[in-house]
Structure formats: structure tokens, C-alpha cells
Amino acid sequence: MSKALRYLSKTRPEAAGNLMGFYKHSVKALDEKTRFLIQIVTKVTVGTERGLRQYAPKALKAGASKEEILDAAMMAFPAAGLNKLLDAIEVLKDLDLLPEIEEDEPQAVSPELGAISQFPLKRMHCLQRPDGDLIVFRTGEKSVEVYSARCPHSKATLCKGTDHGDRVECHVHNWVFDLESGRCLSPSDMGGKRDLVNIPVTVVEGMVRLQG
Ligand code: FES
């Protein structure tokens, strides 16, 4: 159950109960896989990344193939339009729920991230790179922390998250991360298992560079 539904079930138990009952009892004839595939169509149409991340893995678990998941997303196109469809494809790709394609030869990517002076002090800075987005957090005149921008929860990009200065809040399920340490602050009971992935860097002559 989502946080929002849990909240409603406490503050408006009757309304939430009826809502849950509706979901539980309204569909009788469709099997689980079909229901989840239809959920994908509706989530793409409405443009909810949170919903797509919730239901697409369930469709796979219920027996849908990656081709069927792609078909479901494509079926939303007439109502959703191109932008929502492309956003959905990005999310499904992130979740590794799309059929494999032959990737182009990977291009050599520079290990240089840029001059340290270009990164604001104690503020989140997103760097979009072909090998994956990074968050750069400058901690001092000559020190930075660099993290993968993929949310450890469900891989959404934290570059779309809310910048709270020294913290970032994921836009999908609202997990919060401290950018000084990379620790997951909320939910607080993860015991370090859901911290940001730290990327080792060096700062030489004012340039931030990936190690290795
Ligand atoms: S993807 Fe769920 S909190 Fe980020």
C-alpha cells in the first residue's frame, strides 16, 4: 500500500476502505497479468511515474513478457501523446523491463567532471553524462562528494528530485538523502542499505576527476 493510501486509511478509514474494496471487487473476469498490463496503459496515459514504477514490475511478476509490457505502454500513445510515452519508456528502461536492443558501441567518456570552482558550495549539482547522471556536492574549497544520481529505491533519477540544499528528496516516493554523507535519512530504518552510491573522485589542480 502506498504512503498516501496508508495515510488516508487512518484519517478517512471509511472512504479508503470503500476505495480499496472497489479495486478488490470491481474486476472479476480479467486475470492478474491482464489487469497489471492495463494498469500500465492507464499509468502511461495519466503520466504517473510513481504508478508505472509500482505496476510494471508487478506485470512482469504476474507473467507478462517484456514485449507485452512494451506493447501496453505503446497502447497508451493515442491518449497519452508522445512526451508521456517517451517518459514512460525511460522509466521502463531504467527498471530493465523492456526487450533488449543491440546497444551502440560505448563512446569513450572523459573522466573529467569539471573545475571544482564551477560547483556551488553545499548545493546539489546534477551532471548529465552518457555513462549515467551524477550528483556533485561540493563540501569545501577543495573537496567534493560525487554520487550516482539513481535513487537506490527504484532507480528514478534524483536530478528530478527536490533540492533542499544539503539534502535531496526523490520525486517518486519521497525518500530523502543527505548529500554530505550519502545517507538515506527517510525512511530512517534502512540501516545504511539504501544510501547513495558514492563515486570516488580526486581533485587535482582544481579539476574534479573520476578515479580509476
Ligand atoms: S524511486 Fe522510490 S524513492 Fe526514489
Side-chain angles (χ1 to χ4, degrees):
M1 191 190 293
S2 71
K3 253 193 199 170
L5 255 179
R6 215 175 2 256
Y7 174 82
L8 283 182
S9 68
K10 294 236 186 303
T11 53
R12 297 288 186 275
E14 285 183 3
N18 287 334
L19 187 64
M20 298 297 285
F22 174 81
Y23 282 127
K24 196 165 172 194
H25 302 297
S26 58
V27 179
K28 296 278 186 200
L30 297 177
D31 60 36
E32 204 179 38
K33 180 178 106 176
T34 310
R35 277 192 280 126
F36 287 135
L37 286 171
I38 292 173
Q39 287 280 14
I40 292 175
V41 181
T42 60
K43 301 311 172 201
V44 178
T45 304
V46 176
T48 158
E49 180 177 345
R50 181 195 302 251
L52 192 56
R53 286 184 183 273
Q54 183 179 351
Y55 284 102
K58 288 185 180 182
L60 188 79
K61 208 166 161 201
S65 66
K66 292 183 177 181
E67 288 286 352
E68 287 173 317
I69 289 173
L70 177 58
D71 280 1
M74 298 298 288
M75 284 191 69
F77 174 67
L82 184 60
N83 286 342
K84 283 183 185 166
L85 175 62
L86 294 180
D87 286 349
I89 295 295
E90 227 175 83
V91 171
L92 293 171
K93 206 163 177 305
D94 250 8
L95 292 169
D96 194 21
L97 291 180
L98 292 179
E100 301 294 325
I101 52 167
E102 210 170 297
E103 296 288 354
D104 300 335
E105 262 319 283
Q107 308 249 318
V109 185
S110 165
E112 305 274 346
L113 300 186
I116 192 163
S117 55
Q118 81 183 58
F119 301 113
L121 201 57
K122 306 269 183 185
R123 301 290 307 185
M124 164 172 136
H125 184 96
C126 265
L127 273 185
Q128 293 188 319
R129 292 173 50 92
D131 52 348
D133 294 354
L134 298 175
I135 290 177
V136 180
F137 186 73
R138 185 172 163 202
T139 50
E141 281 310 308
K142 295 181 179 168
S143 54
V144 284
E145 295 294 338
V146 178
Y147 305 99
S148 162
R150 284 183 157 227
C151 177
H153 180 218
S154 208
K155 299 185 187 168
T157 175
L158 291 168
C159 290
K160 285 191 192 164
T162 309
D163 175 1
H164 293 293
D166 57 355
R167 288 163 298 131
V168 59
E169 180 174 342
C170 181
H171 68 296
V172 180
H173 306 103
N174 307 104
W175 285 24
V176 179
F177 303 90
D178 175 60
L179 291 172
E180 190 106 35
S181 63
R183 296 299 303 260
C184 178
L185 300 177
S186 171
S188 55
D189 53 356
M190 292 299 168
K193 286 193 202 126
R194 298 295 177 103
D195 296 344
L196 297 177
V197 175
N198 191 280
I199 309 290
V201 292
T202 52
V203 182
V204 179
E205 292 174 359
M207 290 301 287
V208 185
R209 198 183 160 86
L210 296 175
Q211 271 181 18

CSV table of all heavy atoms in Angstrom, one decimal, residues 144-193:
chain,number,residue,atom,x,y,z
A,144,VAL,N,34.8,17.5,-2.7
A,144,VAL,CA,33.5,17.3,-3.2
A,144,VAL,C,33.1,15.8,-2.9
A,144,VAL,O,34.0,15.0,-2.7
A,144,VAL,CB,33.4,17.4,-4.8
A,144,VAL,CG1,33.4,18.8,-5.3
A,144,VAL,CG2,34.5,16.6,-5.5
A,145,GLU,N,31.8,15.6,-2.9
A,145,GLU,CA,31.3,14.2,-2.8
A,145,GLU,C,30.6,14.1,-4.1
A,145,GLU,O,29.8,15.0,-4.6
A,145,GLU,CB,30.4,14.0,-1.7
A,145,GLU,CG,31.0,14.1,-0.3
A,145,GLU,CD,32.0,13.0,0.0
A,145,GLU,OE1,31.9,11.9,-0.7
A,145,GLU,OE2,32.9,13.2,0.8
A,146,VAL,N,30.7,12.9,-4.8
A,146,VAL,CA,30.0,12.6,-6.0
A,146,VAL,C,29.2,11.3,-5.9
A,146,VAL,O,29.8,10.3,-5.3
A,146,VAL,CB,31.0,12.5,-7.2
A,146,VAL,CG1,30.3,12.2,-8.5
A,146,VAL,CG2,31.8,13.8,-7.4
A,147,TYR,N,28.0,11.3,-6.3
A,147,TYR,CA,27.1,10.1,-6.2
A,147,TYR,C,26.5,9.8,-7.5
A,147,TYR,O,26.2,10.7,-8.3
A,147,TYR,CB,26.0,10.4,-5.2
A,147,TYR,CG,26.5,10.9,-3.8
A,147,TYR,CD1,26.5,12.2,-3.5
A,147,TYR,CD2,26.9,10.0,-2.9
A,147,TYR,CE1,26.9,12.7,-2.3
A,147,TYR,CE2,27.4,10.4,-1.6
A,147,TYR,CZ,27.3,11.8,-1.3
A,147,TYR,OH,27.8,12.2,-0.1
A,148,SER,N,26.1,8.6,-7.7
A,148,SER,CA,25.3,8.2,-8.8
A,148,SER,C,23.9,8.9,-8.5
A,148,SER,O,23.4,8.9,-7.4
A,148,SER,CB,25.1,6.7,-8.8
A,148,SER,OG,23.9,6.4,-9.6
A,149,ALA,N,23.3,9.4,-9.6
A,149,ALA,CA,22.0,10.1,-9.4
A,149,ALA,C,20.8,9.2,-9.4
A,149,ALA,O,19.7,9.6,-9.3
A,149,ALA,CB,21.8,11.2,-10.5
A,150,ARG,N,21.1,7.9,-9.5
A,150,ARG,CA,20.0,6.9,-9.5
A,150,ARG,C,19.5,6.7,-8.0
A,150,ARG,O,20.3,6.3,-7.2
A,150,ARG,CB,20.4,5.6,-10.0
A,150,ARG,CG,20.5,5.6,-11.5
A,150,ARG,CD,20.9,4.3,-12.1
A,150,ARG,NE,20.5,4.3,-13.5
A,150,ARG,CZ,19.8,3.3,-14.0
A,150,ARG,NH1,19.5,2.2,-13.3
A,150,ARG,NH2,19.4,3.3,-15.3
A,151,CYS,N,18.2,6.8,-7.8
A,151,CYS,CA,17.7,6.6,-6.5
A,151,CYS,C,17.9,5.1,-6.1
A,151,CYS,O,17.5,4.3,-6.9
A,151,CYS,CB,16.2,7.0,-6.4
A,151,CYS,SG,15.5,6.7,-4.9
A,152,PRO,N,18.4,4.9,-4.9
A,152,PRO,CA,18.6,3.5,-4.5
A,152,PRO,C,17.3,2.7,-4.4
A,152,PRO,O,17.3,1.5,-4.3
A,152,PRO,CB,19.4,3.6,-3.2
A,152,PRO,CG,19.9,4.9,-3.1
A,152,PRO,CD,18.9,5.8,-3.9
A,153,HIS,N,16.2,3.4,-4.3
A,153,HIS,CA,14.9,2.7,-4.1
A,153,HIS,C,14.5,2.0,-5.4
A,153,HIS,O,14.4,0.8,-5.5
A,153,HIS,CB,13.8,3.7,-3.6
A,153,HIS,CG,12.5,3.0,-3.4
A,153,HIS,ND1,11.3,3.6,-3.7
A,153,HIS,CD2,12.2,1.8,-2.9
A,153,HIS,CE1,10.4,2.8,-3.4
A,153,HIS,NE2,10.9,1.6,-2.9
A,154,SER,N,14.2,2.9,-6.4
A,154,SER,CA,13.7,2.3,-7.6
A,154,SER,C,14.3,2.9,-8.8
A,154,SER,O,13.6,3.0,-9.9
A,154,SER,CB,12.1,2.4,-7.6
A,154,SER,OG,11.5,1.4,-8.3
A,155,LYS,N,15.5,3.4,-8.7
A,155,LYS,CA,16.3,3.9,-9.8
A,155,LYS,C,15.8,5.2,-10.5
A,155,LYS,O,16.3,5.5,-11.6
A,155,LYS,CB,16.5,2.8,-10.8
A,155,LYS,CG,17.2,1.5,-10.3
A,155,LYS,CD,17.3,0.6,-11.5
A,155,LYS,CE,17.9,-0.7,-11.2
A,155,LYS,NZ,17.8,-1.7,-12.3
A,156,ALA,N,14.9,5.9,-9.9
A,156,ALA,CA,14.5,7.1,-10.6
A,156,ALA,C,15.7,8.1,-10.5
A,156,ALA,O,16.5,8.0,-9.6
A,156,ALA,CB,13.3,7.7,-9.8
A,157,THR,N,15.7,9.1,-11.4
A,157,THR,CA,16.8,10.0,-11.3
A,157,THR,C,16.6,11.1,-10.3
A,157,THR,O,15.5,11.7,-10.3
A,157,THR,CB,17.2,10.6,-12.7
A,157,THR,OG1,18.2,11.6,-12.5
A,157,THR,CG2,16.0,11.3,-13.3
A,158,LEU,N,17.6,11.2,-9.4
A,158,LEU,CA,17.4,12.2,-8.3
A,158,LEU,C,17.6,13.6,-8.9
A,158,LEU,O,17.4,14.6,-8.2
A,158,LEU,CB,18.4,11.9,-7.2
A,158,LEU,CG,18.1,10.6,-6.4
A,158,LEU,CD1,19.2,10.2,-5.5
A,158,LEU,CD2,16.8,10.8,-5.6
A,159,CYS,N,18.1,13.7,-10.2
A,159,CYS,CA,18.2,15.0,-10.8
A,159,CYS,C,16.8,15.7,-10.9
A,159,CYS,O,16.7,16.9,-11.0
A,159,CYS,CB,18.9,14.9,-12.1
A,159,CYS,SG,20.6,14.5,-11.9
A,160,LYS,N,15.7,14.9,-10.9
A,160,LYS,CA,14.4,15.5,-10.9
A,160,LYS,C,13.8,15.7,-9.5
A,160,LYS,O,12.7,16.1,-9.4
A,160,LYS,CB,13.5,14.5,-11.7
A,160,LYS,CG,13.6,14.5,-13.2
A,160,LYS,CD,12.5,13.7,-13.8
A,160,LYS,CE,12.7,13.3,-15.2
A,160,LYS,NZ,11.7,12.3,-15.6
A,161,GLY,N,14.6,15.3,-8.5
A,161,GLY,CA,14.2,15.4,-7.2
A,161,GLY,C,14.1,16.9,-6.7
A,161,GLY,O,14.5,17.8,-7.4
A,162,THR,N,13.6,17.0,-5.4
A,162,THR,CA,13.6,18.4,-4.8
A,162,THR,C,14.9,18.7,-4.1
A,162,THR,O,15.4,17.9,-3.3
A,162,THR,CB,12.4,18.5,-3.8
A,162,THR,OG1,11.3,18.0,-4.5
A,162,THR,CG2,12.2,19.9,-3.4
A,163,ASP,N,15.5,19.8,-4.5
A,163,ASP,CA,16.8,20.2,-3.9
A,163,ASP,C,16.5,21.0,-2.6
A,163,ASP,O,16.0,22.0,-2.6
A,163,ASP,CB,17.4,21.1,-5.0
A,163,ASP,CG,18.7,21.7,-4.5
A,163,ASP,OD1,19.1,21.4,-3.3
A,163,ASP,OD2,19.4,22.5,-5.2
A,164,HIS,N,16.9,20.3,-1.5
A,164,HIS,CA,16.7,21.0,-0.2
A,164,HIS,C,18.1,21.5,0.3
A,164,HIS,O,18.4,21.5,1.5
A,164,HIS,CB,16.2,20.0,0.9
A,164,HIS,CG,14.8,19.6,0.6
A,164,HIS,ND1,13.7,20.5,0.6
A,164,HIS,CD2,14.2,18.4,0.3
A,164,HIS,CE1,12.6,19.8,0.4
A,164,HIS,NE2,12.9,18.5,0.1
A,165,GLY,N,19.0,21.9,-0.6
A,165,GLY,CA,20.3,22.4,-0.2
A,165,GLY,C,21.2,21.2,0.1
A,165,GLY,O,21.8,20.7,-0.8
A,166,ASP,N,21.3,20.8,1.4
A,166,ASP,CA,22.3,19.7,1.6
A,166,ASP,C,21.5,18.3,1.6
A,166,ASP,O,22.1,17.3,2.0
A,166,ASP,CB,23.0,19.9,3.0
A,166,ASP,CG,22.0,20.1,4.1
A,166,ASP,OD1,20.8,20.1,3.9
A,166,ASP,OD2,22.4,20.2,5.3
A,167,ARG,N,20.3,18.3,1.2
A,167,ARG,CA,19.5,17.1,1.1
A,167,ARG,C,18.8,17.1,-0.3
A,167,ARG,O,18.5,18.1,-0.8
A,167,ARG,CB,18.5,16.9,2.2
A,167,ARG,CG,19.0,16.7,3.6
A,167,ARG,CD,18.0,16.9,4.6
A,167,ARG,NE,17.7,18.3,4.6
A,167,ARG,CZ,16.5,18.8,4.6
A,167,ARG,NH1,15.4,18.0,4.7
A,167,ARG,NH2,16.2,20.1,4.6
A,168,VAL,N,18.5,15.9,-0.8
A,168,VAL,CA,17.7,15.8,-2.0
A,168,VAL,C,16.5,14.8,-1.7
A,168,VAL,O,16.7,13.8,-1.0
A,168,VAL,CB,18.5,15.4,-3.2
A,168,VAL,CG1,19.2,14.0,-3.0
A,168,VAL,CG2,17.6,15.3,-4.5
A,169,GLU,N,15.4,15.2,-2.2
A,169,GLU,CA,14.2,14.3,-2.0
A,169,GLU,C,13.7,13.8,-3.3
A,169,GLU,O,13.5,14.5,-4.3
A,169,GLU,CB,13.1,15.2,-1.4
A,169,GLU,CG,11.8,14.4,-1.1
A,169,GLU,CD,10.8,15.3,-0.4
A,169,GLU,OE1,11.1,16.3,0.2
A,169,GLU,OE2,9.6,14.9,-0.4
A,170,CYS,N,13.7,12.4,-3.4
A,170,CYS,CA,13.3,11.8,-4.6
A,170,CYS,C,11.8,12.2,-5.0
A,170,CYS,O,11.0,12.2,-4.1
A,170,CYS,CB,13.4,10.3,-4.5
A,170,CYS,SG,13.0,9.4,-6.0
A,171,HIS,N,11.6,12.5,-6.3
A,171,HIS,CA,10.3,12.9,-6.7
A,171,HIS,C,9.3,11.8,-6.8
A,171,HIS,O,8.1,12.0,-7.0
A,171,HIS,CB,10.3,13.7,-8.0
A,171,HIS,CG,10.7,12.8,-9.2
A,171,HIS,ND1,11.9,12.2,-9.3
A,171,HIS,CD2,10.0,12.5,-10.3
A,171,HIS,CE1,11.9,11.5,-10.4
A,171,HIS,NE2,10.8,11.6,-11.0
A,172,VAL,N,9.8,10.5,-6.7
A,172,VAL,CA,8.8,9.4,-6.9
A,172,VAL,C,8.2,8.9,-5.6
A,172,VAL,O,7.0,8.9,-5.5
A,172,VAL,CB,9.5,8.3,-7.7
A,172,VAL,CG1,8.6,7.1,-7.9
A,172,VAL,CG2,10.1,8.7,-9.0
A,173,HIS,N,9.0,8.5,-4.7
A,173,HIS,CA,8.4,8.1,-3.4
A,173,HIS,C,8.9,8.9,-2.2
A,173,HIS,O,8.8,8.4,-1.1
A,173,HIS,CB,8.7,6.6,-3.2
A,173,HIS,CG,8.3,5.7,-4.3
A,173,HIS,ND1,9.2,5.2,-5.2
A,173,HIS,CD2,7.1,5.3,-4.7
A,173,HIS,CE1,8.6,4.5,-6.1
A,173,HIS,NE2,7.3,4.5,-5.8
A,174,ASN,N,9.5,10.0,-2.5
A,174,ASN,CA,9.9,11.0,-1.4
A,174,ASN,C,11.0,10.5,-0.4
A,174,ASN,O,11.0,11.0,0.7
A,174,ASN,CB,8.7,11.4,-0.7
A,174,ASN,CG,7.6,11.9,-1.6
A,174,ASN,OD1,6.6,11.3,-1.9
A,174,ASN,ND2,7.8,13.1,-2.2
A,175,TRP,N,11.8,9.5,-0.8
A,175,TRP,CA,12.9,9.2,0.0
A,175,TRP,C,13.9,10.5,0.1
A,175,TRP,O,14.0,11.2,-0.9
A,175,TRP,CB,13.7,8.0,-0.5
A,175,TRP,CG,13.0,6.7,-0.2
A,175,TRP,CD1,11.6,6.5,0.0
A,175,TRP,CD2,13.6,5.4,-0.1
A,175,TRP,NE1,11.4,5.2,0.2
A,175,TRP,CE2,12.5,4.5,0.1
A,175,TRP,CE3,14.9,5.0,-0.2
A,175,TRP,CZ2,12.8,3.1,0.3
A,175,TRP,CZ3,15.1,3.6,-0.1
A,175,TRP,CH2,14.1,2.7,0.2
A,176,VAL,N,14.5,10.6,1.2
A,176,VAL,CA,15.4,11.8,1.4
A,176,VAL,C,16.8,11.4,1.7
A,176,VAL,O,17.0,10.4,2.5
A,176,VAL,CB,14.9,12.7,2.5
A,176,VAL,CG1,15.8,13.9,2.7
A,176,VAL,CG2,13.4,13.1,2.3
A,177,PHE,N,17.8,12.0,1.0
A,177,PHE,CA,19.2,11.6,1.2
A,177,PHE,C,20.0,12.8,1.6
A,177,PHE,O,19.8,13.9,1.0
A,177,PHE,CB,19.7,11.1,-0.2
A,177,PHE,CG,19.0,9.9,-0.6
A,177,PHE,CD1,17.9,10.0,-1.5
A,177,PHE,CD2,19.3,8.6,-0.2
A,177,PHE,CE1,17.1,8.9,-1.9
A,177,PHE,CE2,18.6,7.5,-0.7
A,177,PHE,CZ,17.5,7.7,-1.5
A,178,ASP,N,20.9,12.6,2.5
A,178,ASP,CA,21.9,13.6,2.9
A,178,ASP,C,23.0,13.7,1.9
A,178,ASP,O,23.6,12.6,1.6
A,178,ASP,CB,22.4,13.3,4.3
A,178,ASP,CG,23.4,14.3,4.8
A,178,ASP,OD1,23.1,15.5,4.9
A,178,ASP,OD2,24.6,13.8,5.0
A,179,LEU,N,23.3,14.8,1.4
A,179,LEU,CA,24.3,14.9,0.4
A,179,LEU,C,25.8,15.0,0.9
A,179,LEU,O,26.7,14.8,0.1
A,179,LEU,CB,24.0,16.0,-0.6
A,179,LEU,CG,22.8,15.8,-1.4
A,179,LEU,CD1,22.4,17.0,-2.2
A,179,LEU,CD2,22.9,14.6,-2.4
A,180,GLU,N,25.9,15.3,2.2
A,180,GLU,CA,27.3,15.3,2.7
A,180,GLU,C,27.8,13.9,2.9
A,180,GLU,O,28.9,13.6,2.7
A,180,GLU,CB,27.2,16.1,4.1
A,180,GLU,CG,28.5,16.4,4.7
A,180,GLU,CD,28.8,17.9,4.6
A,180,GLU,OE1,27.9,18.7,4.7
A,180,GLU,OE2,30.0,18.2,4.4
A,181,SER,N,26.9,13.0,3.4
A,181,SER,CA,27.3,11.7,3.7
A,181,SER,C,26.8,10.6,2.8
A,181,SER,O,27.2,9.5,2.8
A,181,SER,CB,26.8,11.3,5.1
A,181,SER,OG,25.4,11.3,5.1
A,182,GLY,N,25.7,11.0,2.0
A,182,GLY,CA,25.1,10.0,1.1
A,182,GLY,C,24.1,9.1,1.8
A,182,GLY,O,23.5,8.3,1.2
A,183,ARG,N,23.9,9.4,3.1
A,183,ARG,CA,23.0,8.5,3.9
A,183,ARG,C,21.5,8.8,3.5
A,183,ARG,O,21.1,9.9,3.3
A,183,ARG,CB,23.1,8.8,5.4
A,183,ARG,CG,24.4,8.5,6.0
A,183,ARG,CD,24.8,7.0,5.9
A,183,ARG,NE,23.8,6.1,6.5
A,183,ARG,CZ,24.0,5.5,7.7
A,183,ARG,NH1,25.0,5.8,8.4
A,183,ARG,NH2,23.1,4.7,8.1
A,184,CYS,N,20.7,7.7,3.6
A,184,CYS,CA,19.3,7.8,3.4
A,184,CYS,C,18.7,8.2,4.7
A,184,CYS,O,18.9,7.5,5.8
A,184,CYS,CB,18.7,6.4,3.0
A,184,CYS,SG,16.9,6.4,2.8
A,185,LEU,N,18.1,9.4,4.8
A,185,LEU,CA,17.5,9.9,6.0
A,185,LEU,C,16.1,9.5,6.2
A,185,LEU,O,15.6,9.4,7.4
A,185,LEU,CB,17.6,11.5,6.0
A,185,LEU,CG,18.9,12.1,5.8
A,185,LEU,CD1,18.8,13.6,5.8
A,185,LEU,CD2,19.8,11.7,7.0
A,186,SER,N,15.4,9.3,5.2
A,186,SER,CA,14.0,8.9,5.3
A,186,SER,C,13.6,8.1,4.1
A,186,SER,O,13.8,8.5,3.0
A,186,SER,CB,13.1,10.2,5.3
A,186,SER,OG,11.7,9.9,5.2
A,187,PRO,N,13.0,6.9,4.3
A,187,PRO,CA,12.7,6.3,5.6
A,187,PRO,C,14.0,6.0,6.4
A,187,PRO,O,15.1,5.8,5.8
A,187,PRO,CB,12.0,5.0,5.3
A,187,PRO,CG,12.3,4.7,3.8
A,187,PRO,CD,12.7,6.0,3.2
A,188,SER,N,13.9,6.0,7.7
A,188,SER,CA,15.1,6.0,8.5
A,188,SER,C,15.5,4.6,9.0
A,188,SER,O,16.5,4.5,9.6
A,188,SER,CB,14.9,6.9,9.8
A,188,SER,OG,13.7,6.4,10.4
A,189,ASP,N,14.8,3.6,8.6
A,189,ASP,CA,15.1,2.3,9.1
A,189,ASP,C,15.8,1.4,8.1
A,189,ASP,O,15.6,0.2,8.2
A,189,ASP,CB,13.8,1.6,9.6
A,189,ASP,CG,12.7,1.6,8.4
A,189,ASP,OD1,13.1,2.2,7.4
A,189,ASP,OD2,11.7,1.1,8.6
A,190,MET,N,16.6,2.0,7.3
A,190,MET,CA,17.2,1.2,6.2
A,190,MET,C,18.6,0.7,6.6
A,190,MET,O,19.2,-0.1,5.9
A,190,MET,CB,17.3,2.0,4.9
A,190,MET,CG,15.9,2.2,4.3
A,190,MET,SD,15.2,0.6,3.9
A,190,MET,CE,13.5,1.2,3.6
A,191,GLY,N,19.1,1.1,7.7
A,191,GLY,CA,20.4,0.6,8.2
A,191,GLY,C,21.5,0.7,7.2
A,191,GLY,O,22.4,-0.1,7.2
A,192,GLY,N,21.5,1.8,6.5
A,192,GLY,CA,22.7,2.0,5.5
A,192,GLY,C,22.5,1.3,4.2
A,192,GLY,O,23.3,1.5,3.3
A,193,LYS,N,21.5,0.4,4.1
A,193,LYS,CA,21.4,-0.4,2.9
A,193,LYS,C,20.9,0.4,1.7
A,193,LYS,O,21.0,0.0,0.6
A,193,LYS,CB,20.4,-1.5,3.1
A,193,LYS,CG,20.9,-2.6,4.0
A,193,LYS,CD,20.0,-3.8,3.9
A,193,LYS,CE,20.3,-4.7,5.2
A,193,LYS,NZ,19.1,-5.0,5.9
